[in-house]
Amino acid sequence: MKREAGKFARIVIPTPLKEPLIYKVPDPLWEQIGAGMRVLVPLGKRKVTGVVLELLRETVVPGTRSILAPLDERPILDTALLQLSQWVAPYYLTTLGVVFGTILPPSLRSETQRTIALKPGMFSVCDALEKRILDRLRQSKGKLTVKKLTREMYGGDLHGAIERLESIGAVEIRERLPGHRTRIEQTFLKAGSAASLEAQPRFILNSEQEQAFLKIEDRLKEGGFETFLLHGVTGSGKTEVYLRAMEQARRAGRGSLILIPEISLTPQLIDRVNARFPGRVGILHSALSAAERWTQWWHIVRGNVDVVVGARSAVFAPLTNLGLIIVDEEHDPSYKQEEGLRYNGRDVAVMRGKLSACPVILGSATPAIESYQNALDGRYRLLEMTQRVQRRPLPFIETVDLRSKFNRSQQPNGGRVPLQTDSPQVQQSGEHRLISDRLSVFLRKNYHASRQSLIFLNRRGFSNFLQCVLCGHVLRCSYCSVTLTLHRRQKNVCCHHCNFRRAATALCPECGNLTLSGVGVGTEQIEEALHRLVPAARIARMDRDTTSKRGAHEELIRSWEKGEIDILVGTQMITKGHDVTGVTLVGALLADLSLNLPDFRSGERTFQLLSQVAGRSGRGDEPGTVIIQTYAPDHYAIQHLIHHDYKGFFAAEIEFRRALNYPPFSRLVCLRLESPKFEEVEKKARMLGATLHDKTIHNARLREKIEILGPAPAPIEKLRNRYRWQLLLKGKQSSSLLDLAKQACEALPRSRSVRLHIDVDPYNML
Ligand code: ADP
Ligand code: ZN
């Protein structure tokens, strides 16, 4: 290949293009651009935004086109973040274009406009460039775009000069988002609400907190990468340890990043961070509007914040002096992105810490099995907090056995109700079993003692599905192979996967009678049952149906905190991180719902969910009680839960994983084929299976190392009108696994109708 010497740059365009492209760098731009800056480049007939990955002095690519203009004066992504993206892309078998599409907020993928404006007053400057800038501004009514200035004055440190002028108050830099008329004010970073700033105590660390903090502090002072697994029971005061570590990072002049599962569910944590770092907190999450996200991003790039709080995607926040990364509730499934770039925010956080040479704290009361094994293997350093703060006891947990032979007094009270109306009837029969006598007694007692109760059921809606009492027909989604859930208040039936919905009627589409009847319960029905049980109580429900409006989550949680709600019923949303001292009773209904999922993590997931929800109880002066209603009281997940015994659970779970060679003893890659055509997806999946089997048979190295499971239809075989088949690759080494997965991409001929999705370290395999 012919090498051409010159000035070139490798540029990523944040769209799913295959590889970064090489562009020529015009001489005058060579000094101005650098890795991590955005540039305008031609692509076909369009002009698009790209990010410079590196500058090159030669290329073998013939006929490169030229960069049109720089879009930044300094990098918006630092070296560690660029390196991180170059680790993420091959690890998750995707392109850099896809990764950059995830890292950059949409608005940053196009050009933003930055203007400099003179401020009133006279300023004398000595630096020639600064003087030229001021003169030039005066000539143009005190305002100019940075772009124009750059074009007129290249050479010299233009950006540095502008910054110095800004720091002495001579000019103001304004950023404008294209398509938005109003300027986004710098005052966006409110210093937290007044309420959140007052009365945020600064505790004296107890000895376990102190021990944990000292080890982290040592690492922060010494510098360098290390991952800590902070295993602290619910209410052990992990947040306080995080805050101290963040303060230590700031003392060293470095920023911290704290990831939390769902930002709107934990306003308390944001309050605490705001109180410690008033006006210096950036927030990133998917519910921000484009303009808000853009503003937050620029504040972070400019170093206006000491701390960034965010959900999963904030792992890519553009902090340039990162000194600490924290992943709170590191076991939470929401760290796994299930579409587009299918990454795990926790794992990426650890890699980012490594590349940024800074410590990472993974915190949880119920660490992921993989994480705990990493700690036992010495890859992570284990820090333990076994006691709640102020020696508060962990709640007392008991089970109620739902199996009727143990529970005769709670037999259903009769069969289905005769039908007269045209709306679906609901079996009244199950109600006594929904809320056991034992739980009912506790609920009433707790209410009369003016304390708060939490009722957890991991299923929303009113009835799980509708079935015809005459012909047995079950109402299903037209687009997915799942049943439709009855939402009685909204008077519709709805698919929880694709959101297809239609009016609820009793008319059976199969036999034509008005005989549809609801089976199974969801949170909506529990809410009604609770009203009957404790009529005077203030009852609220929290699930995706009640909190779809922006800000609704937060409002609900705030009034729960203030004690304005006596009983809160909800899905897994209510299990996360709240610290409300009035809660002394937690009831978990149908606690084994998550045990019955066809997933090797179902035991782990159940243990985590129930431990988390139990952990909401007894966080104040009064001790807490937890009642777990279950069909499987003897299951090891439930047994260890009752005894607050994470280690016992881990010991049992790890044996199960070892026996079946599941993670952490192996790694998984899920290859999922999807097509609107049933025959085609099956044919292609079988073909792909045969090809991969072939490849492993003829390659001794792969044969020993990789197991191919399937192809088989996915547990949810049809989703959003697409049929789905999958193959699971299981192996010890990610390198050979990724190799084989890559070969799968190549083996599957490009086709319009069948798509292959690759999920590395999959979490959800339904
Ligand atoms: P976790 O995240 O481990 O479940 P939190 O961080 O929410 O626990 O702490 C539980 C409660 O204890 C919070 O209300 C917190 O303000 C309080 N707390 C934390 N540390 C201390 C301490 N050293 N002394 C007294 N109270 C504390
Ligand atoms: Zn559907």
Side-chain angles (χ1 to χ4, degrees), residues 291-334:
E292 287 167 338
R293 205 140 93 96
W294 180 85
T295 314
Q296 292 286 341
W297 226 81
W298 279 113
H299 275 298
I300 298 167
V301 169
R302 288 240 193 124
N304 291 348
V305 305
D306 295 325
V307 176
V308 174
V309 187
R312 176 179 65 220
S313 63
V315 72
F316 299 113
L319 284 152
T320 47
N321 61 342
L322 189 58
L324 173 68
I325 305 177
I326 297 162
V327 184
D328 189 27
E329 311 288 4
E330 61 89 29
H331 65 277
D332 200 286
S334 65

Side-chain angles (χ1 to χ4, degrees), residues 467-483:
Q467 184 168 32
C468 173
V469 291
L470 283 182
C471 75
H473 178 76
V474 171
L475 220 52
R476 292 179 176 280
C477 177
S478 314
Y479 306 101
C480 310
S481 53
V482 298
T483 55

Side-chain angles (χ1 to χ4, degrees), residues 476-484 494-501 718-721:
R476 292 179 176 280
C477 177
S478 314
Y479 306 101
C480 310
S481 53
V482 298
T483 55
L484 293 171
C494 168
C495 170
H496 285 181
H497 292 273
C498 73
N499 226 13
F500 164 80
R501 55 185 68 214
K718 186 176 150 201
L719 192 65
R720 296 187 184 92
N721 240 358

Side-chain angles (χ1 to χ4, degrees), residues 35 60 81 109 125 179 320-321 326 344 377 406 427 509 582 585 653 699 701 755:
V60 293
L81 210 42
R109 290 176 222 157
V125 291
T320 47
N321 61 342
I326 297 162
N344 185 316
D377 292 344
F406 295 101
Q427 296 180 57
L585 176 65
E653 181 68 18
N699 182 332
R701 198 176 66 93
R755 295 195 57 180

Side-chain angles (χ1 to χ4, degrees), residues 66-83:
S66 284
I67 291 176
L68 300 172
L71 296 177
D72 293 308
E73 302 101 65
R74 62 171 159 175
I76 57 167
L77 303 175
D78 71 354
T79 316
L81 210 42
L82 290 176
Q83 285 173 340

